[in-house]
Amino acid sequence: MENNSIEKKYSKWIVILSVAIPVVVAILFGVNLRKWNPDIKPLSFLPPIYATINGLTAIVLVTAVWAIKNGKQKLHENLMKFAIGLSVAFLAMYVAYHMTSDSTKFGGTGAIKYIYFFILITHICLSVIIIPFVLVTYVRALAKRFDKHRKLARITFPMWLYVAVTGVIVYLMISPYYQY
């Protein structure tokens, strides 16, 4: 298959996923299964797990950049697939938690409250924006359009790393306020 046709083949999916993922997450975020069935137990054990997954994603991303800069293309490729898999696992756990648990309010006051909300808002906004960047960057690698892949990866990497790291920071800042 020609390189351009690979990109064309996936372009529709990139648009669909880039719109559908945030919309579905927003809808599911508003669904609380316990209101329909009070016997459903909150999945309160998930936040530290998905925060750890965010931290692991950050480590994998940095390692993947190190790998490609050291000529280890196959390792880079495998690490990037792993990072995408980790992000999908995070998303599934995040949605499952919020579908079974009430939202936790941040209890900090003063300057820390503003810092928390700044980090949270930028984390959420970039977590939506990063979806098409990751998908297009990945497809360009599949299509062996490495010049375009590298150019976009220079933008994708810091955004994705920011989302992964701030996911951990948000968890650490709100974790004292979780109701277990």
Side-chain angles (χ1 to χ4, degrees):
M1 186 179 286
E2 187 181 303
N3 296 345
N4 279 341
S5 63
I6 290 173
E7 289 184 80
K8 283 182 184 173
K9 174 184 171 186
Y10 288 105
S11 65
K12 237 185 254 183
W13 282 107
I14 290 169
V15 171
I16 290 167
L17 290 172
S18 296
V19 172
I21 291 171
V23 168
V24 169
V25 168
I27 290 168
L28 293 178
F29 195 88
V31 172
N32 190 329
L33 296 176
R34 290 186 16 223
K35 289 182 181 165
W36 295 341
N37 183 350
D39 294 333
I40 293 175
K41 301 288 182 228
L43 300 175
S44 55
F45 64 91
L46 285 178
I49 295 170
Y50 62 67
T52 301
I53 287 173
N54 264 331
L56 184 56
T57 301
I59 292 166
V60 169
L61 289 172
V62 169
T63 306
V65 169
W66 170 86
I68 201 64
K69 288 186 180 214
N70 285 281
K72 301 175 186 300
Q73 186 175 342
K74 190 64 181 170
L75 177 60
H76 172 77
E77 180 184 332
N78 289 336
L79 287 168
M80 293 314 300
K81 288 176 184 174
F82 186 43
I84 290 170
L86 287 169
S87 294
V88 170
F90 162 82
L91 192 57
M93 287 184 219
Y94 179 80
V95 169
Y97 169 75
H98 283 284
M99 288 180 71
T100 63
S101 306
D102 295 327
S103 289
T104 301
K105 303 274 188 250
F106 182 72
T109 58
I112 196 71
K113 182 176 181 177
Y114 297 105
I115 293 168
Y116 170 78
F117 281 110
F118 174 80
I119 294 169
L120 177 64
I121 290 166
T122 58
H123 169 81
I124 291 169
C125 291
L126 282 177
S127 70
V128 172
I129 293 168
I130 195 63
I131 296 167
F133 279 87
V134 169
L135 295 173
V136 171
T137 305
Y138 183 73
V139 167
R140 286 182 176 173
L142 282 179
K144 300 190 184 324
R145 305 281 305 257
F146 296 118
D147 55 330
K148 289 186 171 204
H149 168 80
R150 262 189 306 278
K151 190 174 181 177
L152 189 57
R154 288 186 177 111
I155 299 166
T156 305
F157 169 72
M159 280 197 299
W160 196 356
L161 184 61
Y162 181 86
V163 169
V165 170
T166 56
V168 175
I169 294 168
V170 165
Y171 167 75
L172 291 173
M173 292 180 80
I174 199 165
S175 63
Y177 307 104
Y178 279 121
Q179 301 293 316
Y180 293 104

